[in-house]
Amino acid sequence: GSGGGQAARTPRPTPRPTPRPQQQLQQQTFDFQQTTANGFCGRSLDEAKNTCRQPCQKSEDCCSMFEGCFPTESSCAGVDYSGSGHFYCGLNWCDAADTCGRACPGGTDAECPGNQGCFADIPCSSSKSSSNSNS
């Protein structure tokens, strides 16, 4: 016959894993006037200068572990991802920047699905800015 060796069950479901601390992620937004002078992330200096995608102060700021923070000097001087056209939903800043998913022009987490938050200074451009003309 079959042995009845069932593993002991937990009396009730365990709590969900703790979400990443929102406050710490909020501090990961970037002040462009301050960070542009320091550099941008890339796999090389040329890539950082050509993409001007993620501003950084040190390599640890970069989303990808394969990227470093390079001094782009004047190459990225005109880049500005500030303003409501660059607010996007994501699990964290890097997720929002990688997916360029749902825009959250109001800047609130309530505009985002599920456990996503709204993050500022995302290097995506909202094509649907405030000119929604659905009649």
Side-chain angles (χ1 to χ4, degrees), residues 4 16 21 24 32 42 46 54 60 66 71 77 79 87 100 110 114 125 135:
R16 284 189 348 184
Q24 187 177 355
F32 274 80
D46 283 344
Q54 183 187 357
E60 291 77 24
F66 302 109
V79 174
F87 292 171
C100 292
S125 183
S135 15

Side-chain angles (χ1 to χ4, degrees), residues 83-88 102-108 111 118 126 128-130:
S84 62
H86 296 283
F87 292 171
Y88 279 83
R102 180 181 291 188
C104 47
T108 65
E111 297 171 79
C118 186
S126 175
K128 300 177 275 201
S129 55
S130 57

